[in-house]
């Protein structure tokens, strides 16, 4: 016997189909919800399969965003082998069937049958550590996107209230800048104060981080900006309400992002590969954590080419008869976040010649007549091969 249970994951519920061995389904499709009662009933269903087969079944499912996570965690607590596969694999397998049937029950059946056709690796304990890192890095990216959108809204309101304020501080979004603007939101608010009062306000926001001279200079620049501002008060009081709200949100986002960075660093530092990846010039802490989190267990990939395919930077191939396409785009399959992190690493590496080896390879491709984008993709491909070698050999990168 080689029992398996194929589980088609949906939002809040799933469908399961068990097999005692290849070609021998066990019972009918079992539906359960992702709550305590549903998962408990699913556990009873698994034990029925185990009793009929004489050994514990494996459970195979697709990676479906975060919806499969509660099921995986529940099965791990009860020490059942769980296999999570790439949806592209099951999608390609479904296309080989002559009949086009798309139901949750049919998908669960197909996942069970796919188990007997392919060799899949179960989720490992270390993989869960990397999964935690992946959740944090993705949360950081998501929160950063919302923070950027909030900054754009803030700039649009600031242009209508106090456009001259932009040049007062080197960083418009520093805590001192935002807190000062929250207190003096219009030119009128600033001009009603004395220079010493504004200097004192800036000092209270900076603490001991800045000198009294620097605070006085900022106060003078702010008062000059207020005098240059095209209007002393805004015609729309709603703008003042918006700017106060946006400043609070921006400060909160900054605090949350700082906490996330600390959590990511603490989790990543437990991995030996974290320092090894950063030995490549151009890869910093954030990019290194993202690359490790998105790749997961390196032994999932037999060679560097498979890692290239997982990153989605392998060229697509199209040929039919005597026609062979000469202009092929990259597939863009696999992890979008991994691909983005690799592109960032390449741009950081070739900028200012930080990674001389990568820069030389880039210059070579450009000298061959390759377009900028094509040369960068070639560098990403080269970088993936280096990363694969580093992770498999557990050795640092050497420029020579």
């Amino acid at each position: 016997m080689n029992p398996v249970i194929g589980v088609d994951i949906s939002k809040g519920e799933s469908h399961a189909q068990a097999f005692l061995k290849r070609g021998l389904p066990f019972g009918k499709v079992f539906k359960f919800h992702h709550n305590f009662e549903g998962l408990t009933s699913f556990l009873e269903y698994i034990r029925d399969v185990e009793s009929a087969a004489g050994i514990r079944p494996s459970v195979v499912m697709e990676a479906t965003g975060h919806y499969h996570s509660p099921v995986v965690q529940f099965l791990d607590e009860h020490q059942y082998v769980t296999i999570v596969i790439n949806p592209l694999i099951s999608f390609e397998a479904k296309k080989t069937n002559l009949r086009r049937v798309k139901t949750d029950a049919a998908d669960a059946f197909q996942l069970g049958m796919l188990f007997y056709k392919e060799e899949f690796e179960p989720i490992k304990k270390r993989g869960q550590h990397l999964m935690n890192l992946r959740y944090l890095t993705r949360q950081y990216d998501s929160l950063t996107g919302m923070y950027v959108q909030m900054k754009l809204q803030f700039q649009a309101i600031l242009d209508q209230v106090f456009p001259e304020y932009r040049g007062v501080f080197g960083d418009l979004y520093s805590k001192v800048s935002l807190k000062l603007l929250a207190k003096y939101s219009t030119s009128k608010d600033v001009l009603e104060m004395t220079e010493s009062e504004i200097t004192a306000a800036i000092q209270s926001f900076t603490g001991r981080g800045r000198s009294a001279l620097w605070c006085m200079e900022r106060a003078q620049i702010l008062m000059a900006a207020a005098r240059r501002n095209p209007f002393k008060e805004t015609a729309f009081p709603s703008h003042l309400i918006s700017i106060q709200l946006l400043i609070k949100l921006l400060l909160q986002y900054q605090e949350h992002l700082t906490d996330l960075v600390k959590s990511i660093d603490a989790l990543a530092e437990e991995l030996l590969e974290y320092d090894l990846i950063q030995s490549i010039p151009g890869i910093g802490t954030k990019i290194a954590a993202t690359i490790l989190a998105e790749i997961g267990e390196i032994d999932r990939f037999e060679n560097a080419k498979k890692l290239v395919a997982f990153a989605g930077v392998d060229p697509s191939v199209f040929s039919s008869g005597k026609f062979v396409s000469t202009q092929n785009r990259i597939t863009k399959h696999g992890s979008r976040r991994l691909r983005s992190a690799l592109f960032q690493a390449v741009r950081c590496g070739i900028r200012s010649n930080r990674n001389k080896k990568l820069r030389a390879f880039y210059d070579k491709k450009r000298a061959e007549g390759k377009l900028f984008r094509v040369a960068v993709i070639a560098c990403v491909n080269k970088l993936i091969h280096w990363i694969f070698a580093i992770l498999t050999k557990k050795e640092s990168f050497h420029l020579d």
Side-chain angles (χ1 to χ4, degrees):
M1 292 288 185
N2 185 17
V4 68
I5 300 175
V7 181
D8 181 68
I9 303 288
S10 302
K11 182 179 179 180
E13 65 177 24
S14 296
H15 292 74
Q17 174 64 63
F19 292 80
L20 297 181
K21 62 180 181 179
R22 183 168 186 168
L24 182 59
F26 176 81
K28 297 181 179 180
V29 173
F30 181 80
K31 179 181 177 181
F32 63 95
H33 293 279
H34 297 174
N35 52 29
F36 179 77
E37 292 79 10
L39 290 172
T40 302
S41 64
F42 180 49
L43 180 60
E44 294 174 357
Y45 174 77
I46 297 175
R47 286 172 177 168
D48 289 341
V49 177
E50 183 179 347
S51 177
I55 58 174
R56 286 196 160 200
S58 300
V59 182
V60 59
M61 64 188 73
E62 290 180 340
T64 52
H66 63 278
Y67 298 131
H68 69 283
S69 295
V71 182
V72 172
Q73 185 174 344
F74 179 80
L75 292 173
D76 180 66
E77 288 179 355
H78 292 85
Q79 299 179 346
Y80 282 96
V81 174
T82 308
I83 299 169
V84 180
I85 66 173
N86 191 318
L88 285 174
I89 296 176
S90 57
F91 177 73
E92 291 298 325
K94 292 172 189 174
K95 292 199 301 184
T96 61
N97 294 330
L98 293 178
R99 295 185 63 202
R100 290 292 181 263
V101 180
K102 176 65 181 80
T103 64
D104 294 333
D107 289 345
F109 189 93
Q110 289 295 332
L111 284 169
M113 292 297 293
L114 186 61
F115 171 80
Y116 297 107
K117 298 178 182 179
E118 303 284 348
E119 293 184 3
F120 296 115
E121 288 287 333
I123 288 182
K124 301 178 181 179
K125 282 292 182 183
R126 187 172 178 277
Q128 292 182 2
H129 184 93
L130 291 169
M131 188 65 71
N132 286 328
L133 184 61
R134 182 182 301 176
Y135 286 145
L136 288 179
T137 54
R138 289 187 175 184
Q139 183 63 36
Y140 181 88
D141 289 341
S142 177
L143 203 61
T144 299
M146 291 187 283
Y147 178 57
V148 170
Q149 291 299 318
M150 202 65 62
K151 287 167 71 174
L152 293 175
Q153 294 181 39
F154 172 76
Q155 291 176 14
I157 298 296
L158 184 63
D159 288 342
Q160 302 173 67
V161 176
F162 200 164
E164 289 294 329
Y165 186 83
R166 286 177 178 271
V168 176
F169 292 91
D171 181 7
L172 176 62
Y173 299 99
S174 67
K175 286 182 172 59
V176 178
S177 173
L178 292 175
K179 289 179 179 179
L180 188 64
L181 184 60
K183 188 169 185 177
Y184 306 112
S185 301
T186 65
S187 296
K188 182 181 177 182
D189 293 337
V190 174
L191 296 175
E192 285 177 349
M193 298 293 119
T194 63
E195 181 181 309
S196 59
E197 288 174 327
I198 295 177
T199 301
I202 295 175
Q203 283 180 321
S204 67
F205 296 141
T206 58
R208 299 180 180 179
R210 296 286 185 174
S211 65
L213 177 61
W214 182 89
C215 295
M216 184 180 67
E217 290 175 347
R218 293 304 105 187
Q220 293 172 349
I221 294 173
L222 176 60
M223 297 192 75
R227 287 189 288 268
R228 292 195 310 271
N229 208 52
F231 33 81
K232 304 308 176 188
E233 293 183 89
T234 178
F236 303 98
S238 59
H239 286 346
L240 296 179
I241 298 174
S242 296
I243 206 167
Q244 293 292 332
L245 175 62
L246 288 170
I247 287 173
K248 290 180 181 179
L249 290 173
L250 287 169
L251 290 171
Q252 289 176 3
Y253 274 118
Q254 290 176 1
E255 183 177 351
H256 294 325
L257 287 170
T258 301
D259 291 341
L260 269 177
V261 168
K262 291 179 181 177
S263 299
I264 290 171
D265 289 343
L267 201 59
E269 285 174 357
E270 297 180 22
L271 302 170
L272 169 66
E273 296 86 349
Y274 186 53
D275 290 330
L276 295 179
I277 287 288
Q278 293 181 66
S279 65
I280 301 177
I283 295 183
T285 55
K286 176 61 175 58
I287 294 178
T290 301
I291 290 174
L292 287 176
E294 294 299 323
I295 290 177
E297 291 285 354
I298 192 61
D299 55 13
R300 295 190 301 147
F301 307 96
E302 294 179 7
N303 50 55
K305 287 185 178 180
K306 291 196 173 183
L307 183 55
V308 169
F310 178 73
V313 292
D314 55 323
S316 57
V317 179
F318 181 81
S319 64
S320 179
K322 295 183 179 180
F323 173 77
V324 178
S325 176
T326 57
Q327 295 183 351
N328 299 318
R329 299 176 180 272
I330 58 175
T331 61
K332 292 189 177 180
H333 287 167
S335 172
R336 174 180 57 82
R337 288 180 174 85
L338 174 60
R339 189 163 55 252
S340 176
L342 291 168
F343 274 103
Q344 290 180 43
V346 167
R347 285 193 290 267
C348 291
I350 64 178
R351 186 185 301 131
S352 302
N353 204 24
R354 292 181 64 182
N355 189 329
K356 296 181 179 180
K357 196 171 182 178
L358 194 63
R359 178 71 196 197
F361 182 75
Y362 168 80
D363 290 339
K364 176 186 174 183
K365 291 297 177 183
R366 292 289 281 167
E368 292 173 358
K370 304 294 184 183
L371 298 175
F372 169 77
R373 185 74 175 177
V374 176
V376 169
I377 291 173
C379 289
V380 170
N381 199 304
K382 176 71 71 174
L383 181 62
I384 292 174
H385 280 74
W386 292 343
I387 290 173
F388 181 82
I390 286 173
L391 295 181
T392 52
K393 296 179 181 179
K394 300 294 188 293
E395 296 179 359
S396 298
F397 177 78
H398 301 287
L399 283 173
D400 55 356

